[in-house]
């Protein structure tokens, strides 16, 4: 499963979103995530991908941003 | 002087999740007390509770269920009944004049339990970002204010078992004094958890199980009483300034005419006759009624040895000879002790006694106690009683006493 597919599954399971809304260009705001949802989303990403998003300043605006951050962190772990 | 009407009621209880069902069950003497088998059963010495039959998915989305503790879910469901019942549609200006006043003893106790379990036992490195908003005691009131857009006062009172009577009484004062025109008031509680159960158990105030019939274990005013049974649920009333309610032709359950709020200032758990009597006298004085006019008293009646004895003496102190002729019942024998929601659910019962012209019984009163010699409406409810004015008593650990008087309009 690709990173995007796993994110889609997470959002459906954890935040009760409809799968068809979840496209790479979608912003977290456009998906209706409020500030609490965003924290939960970050926690869910950490658990799902077994990573730590330590940098509080990391900007995840669209889902594509999320994919990039995750792939980078995974690559760094394996490097 | 501004007067205060009750124009809507709602309830979530072990005896039903509508006011009508609750009252019907009470009149039939049916008990909501049962044996429960949570996964921590083995650690409990008693397993009695009056639990609510409640399916969150019938009322909330998956996402809401995760973000809203059961204590707030109860409050929201009771409010939705009361709000629909009142039939209110408010414009923005009216919403500013409307608020929420809720009582709760332990707030989001279940969520706190879950977080502690996760941290202490599972050694979790972090917890859900929703934890605080589920645990905080003012979450139920805030959810209601958000749901209906009420932007006046949004208040939460925690005075143990009198929390919701205090919340209703303080809401009454908000309207009376002109700070608000409409208040959603009441209480909610969901504390049947491992930690809270064990804590209550240690205090020695929980009823011992009746071997033959566990549902009859709570026996207020009976010589063989051993304590109360933990309950849960919520009850909410819509309070509305009388002229406003009349002008829009609202159905009016009754008028809230008196509120007494006093402290025993004596002992953290032991009640006093003087503190309770003082609260009753205050409420009667504000109501401007005579003692003869009180047709029914919904007692605090916890079925602890101390409370029932002291409450009986306090009623006698206030009412003198008249005390023996007023029906006094404790419906906690059936719906359990709802703690921070107890006063509100009993206020709803009081309003329904007026509406139905009927007095619900004290269930399980089988052995007369010479110290408790009032008319407790033992075991069988009475229909066809001209109930016009009711007093509802709520007392509490900590010593905060609250008494509400309602009257037919």
């Amino acid at each position: 499963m690709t990173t995007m597919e796993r994110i889609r599954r997470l959002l459906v399971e954890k935040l009760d979103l409809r799968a068809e809304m979840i496209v790479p260009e979608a912003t977290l705001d456009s998906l209706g995530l409020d500030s609490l949802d965003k924290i939960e989303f970050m926690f869910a990403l950490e658990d799902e991908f077994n990573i730590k998003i330590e940098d509080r300043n990391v900007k995840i605006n669209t889902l594509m941003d999320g994919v990039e951050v995750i792939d980078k962190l995974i690559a760094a772990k394996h490097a | 002087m501004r007067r205060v009407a009750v124009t809507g009621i709602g309830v979530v209880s072990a005896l039903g999740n509508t006011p009508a069902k609750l009252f019907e069950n009470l009149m039939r003497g049916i008990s909501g007390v049962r044996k429960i088998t949570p996964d921590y059963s083995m650690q409990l010495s008693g397993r009695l509770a009056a639990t609510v039959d409640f399916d969150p998915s019938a009322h909330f989305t998956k996402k809401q269920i995760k973000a809203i503790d059961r204590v707030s879910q109860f409050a929201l469901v009771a409010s939705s009944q009361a709000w629909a019942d009142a039939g209110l549609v408010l414009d923005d200006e009216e919403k500013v004049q409307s608020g929420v006043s809720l009582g709760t003893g332990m707030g989001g106790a279940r969520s706190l339990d879950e977080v502690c379990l996760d941290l202490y036992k599972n050694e979790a490195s972090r917890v859900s970002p929703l934890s605080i908003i589920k645990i905080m005691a003012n979450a139920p009131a805030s959810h209601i204010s958000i749901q209906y857009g009420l932007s006046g006062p949004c208040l939460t009172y925690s005075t143990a078992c009198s929390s919701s009577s205090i919340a209703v009484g303080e809401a009454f004062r908000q309207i009376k004094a002109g700070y608000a025109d409409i208040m959603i008031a009441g209480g909610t509680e969901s504390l049947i958890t491992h930690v809270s159960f064990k804590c209550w158990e240690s205090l020695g105030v929980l009823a011992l199980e009746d071997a033959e019939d566990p549902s009859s274990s709570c026996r207020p005013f009976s010589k063989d009483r051993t304590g109360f049974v933990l309950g849960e649920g919520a009850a909410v009333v819509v309070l509305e300034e009388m002229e406003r309610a009349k002008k829009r032709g609202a159905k009016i359950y009754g008028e809230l005419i008196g509120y007494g709020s006093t402290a025993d200032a004596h002992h953290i758990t032991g009640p006093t006759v003087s503190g309770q009597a003082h609260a009753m006298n205050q409420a009667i004085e504000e109501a401007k009624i005579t003692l003869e006019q009180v047709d029914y008293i919904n007692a605090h009646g916890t079925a602890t040895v101390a409370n029932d004895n002291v409450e009986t003496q306090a009623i006698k102190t206030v009412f003198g000879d008249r005390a023996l002729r007023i029906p006094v019942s404790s419906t906690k024998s059936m719906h359990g002790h709802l703690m921070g929601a107890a006063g509100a659910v009993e206020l709803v019962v009081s309003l329904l006694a007026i509406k139905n012209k009927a007095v619900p019984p004290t269930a399980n009163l089988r052995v007369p106690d010479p110290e408790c010699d009032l008319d407790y409406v033992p075991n069988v409810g009475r229909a066809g009683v001209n109930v016009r004015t009711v007093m509802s008593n709520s007392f509490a650990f900590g010593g905060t006493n609250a008494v509400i008087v309602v009257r037919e309009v």
Side-chain angles (χ1 to χ4, degrees), chain B residues 207-219:
Chain B
L208 301 176
E209 185 183 316
D210 184 288
E212 270 169 43
D213 177 8
S215 78
S216 72
S217 302
C218 181
R219 301 191 283 270

Side-chain angles (χ1 to χ4, degrees), chain A residues 12-16 36-37 39-40 43 46-47, chain B residues 61-64 66 125-130 133:
Chain A
V12 171
E13 279 175 11
K14 301 263 181 194
L15 293 170
D16 219 9
L36 291 167
D37 295 329
I39 303 175
E40 244 201 319
F43 284 0
E46 291 189 341
D47 290 343
Chain B
T61 65
K62 232 166 81 184
K63 192 179 158 187
Q64 286 175 317
K66 224 173 46 177
S125 62
R126 64 166 185 234
V127 299
S128 164
L130 305 173
I133 56 164

Side-chain angles (χ1 to χ4, degrees), chain A residues 18-64:
Chain A
R18 288 198 323 267
E20 63 269 24
M21 297 168 66
I22 307 166
V23 293
E25 310 76 52
T27 64
L28 300 188
D29 291 327
S30 72
L31 292 172
L33 272 61
D34 64 15
S35 57
L36 291 167
D37 295 329
K38 287 176 189 169
I39 303 175
E40 244 201 319
F41 179 53
M42 297 290 249
F43 284 0
L45 290 179
E46 291 189 341
D47 290 343
E48 170 72 18
F49 296 98
N50 196 22
I51 51 170
K52 278 250 170 256
I53 306 173
E54 310 267 20
D55 184 1
R56 291 267 153 199
N57 295 320
V58 66
K59 285 272 177 287
I60 298 181
N61 186 26
T62 65
L63 294 181
M64 204 54 228

